[in-house]
Amino acid sequence: MKTALITGANKSIGFETARQLLQQGYHVYLGSRDLEKGQQAADQLKAEGFAQVEPLQIDVTDGNSIKAARETLGQKTPVLDVLINNAGILGGMSQPAVSAEISLIKEVFETNVFGVITVTQAFLDLLRQSPAPRIVNVTSGLGSLTLHNDPSWKYYAVKGAAYQPSKAALNAYTIMLAYELRDTPFKVNAVDPGYTATDFNHHSGPGSMADAAARVVKAAVLGPDGPTSQFFSDDNAPETGISPW
C-alpha cells in the first residue's frame, strides 16, 4: 500500500485530497497543526469507511514540530510515496506593496515558502525509499509572474505584496527541487487547485472542493512517464493545464 502525507489536511482542499487518495487505496497521514482537529478529520473519514488514515501533528512553521512529525512517521512506515505540501495562509485581503507590514509578509512566507522547504527536506529520506516518489506543492494561479505582468489576464488586478510573491517563490523552489532530483524517480510539481470556495477565501471561489482536490491528486499519482517541474493550472490555462511561470 502506498503512503501519503498531506500538510494542512484536517479541512478544505487538503481534507478532500485525503479522501480521494484513500479512494485510490493509499494510506494517508493527515497532517494537522492541531492534533485534535486532525483526529476529528481522521475519524470522519473512518466513519465513511476508510480505515487507512491517521492524523499526524505537524506545524510547518515550527522546526521542532516538523522534526517530531518526521520521527513519528518514520516509526510508522519506512517509506513515504507522496508528500503534498498543502498547508498555506493568505495573510489577509489587503497587502499593498507600498505599505504592507514586513511582519505580515514574513508570516506568510514562513508558512507558504519556508514551511514547505523545511518539511520537504525533513521527509526527503523517507521519500527516497519509494520507487516512485511524488512531491506536490500546492500553489496558486496568482503565483504566475508572467500573467501578473499581462493586463489582459482576468486576475491582473488581484495584486498583493505577501501571498502572491510567496506563491511565486514556492514555484521557484519547485523548479530548483525538480532540477536537483531530475535524474531520480521523483516527480516534483506545483499545482494550482483553482479558485475554490473554502474558508481560505470566505467561500468566495466558484470552484468545487472535489475538482480542486482532483487536480492535486492527479499530480500525486503520476506514472513513471509523467512530467516533472511543471506548474499545473486549469484555471490559468484551461486548454493545456500548464500555466506560465
Side-chain angles (χ1 to χ4, degrees), residues 214-235:
R215 296 180 180 113
V216 177
V217 170
K218 183 179 179 180
V221 301
L222 283 173
D225 295 327
T228 191
S229 193
Q230 294 292 339
F231 178 5
F232 296 114
S233 176
D234 291 341
D235 196 0

Side-chain angles (χ1 to χ4, degrees), residues 88-167:
I89 62 172
L90 179 60
M93 299 302 291
S94 179
Q95 301 174 4
V98 296
S99 60
E101 293 288 341
I102 295 299
S103 59
L104 169 66
I105 297 174
K106 287 182 177 180
E107 179 184 7
V108 173
F109 268 71
E110 194 65 45
T111 297
N112 296 359
V113 183
F114 305 131
V116 171
I117 296 172
T118 308
V119 169
T120 300
Q121 292 178 348
F123 288 90
L124 203 57
D125 61 332
L126 293 181
L127 287 161
R128 288 186 187 277
Q129 302 308 308
S130 170
R134 304 290 179 260
I135 297 175
V136 181
N137 293 331
V138 179
T139 186
S140 167
L142 296 175
S144 171
L145 296 178
T146 298
L147 294 176
H148 266 298
N149 207 35
D150 180 359
S152 68
W153 184 41
K154 61 182 177 180
Y155 298 126
Y156 179 69
V158 185
K159 298 287 195 285
Y163 181 73
Q164 287 85 336
S166 77
K167 291 302 186 179

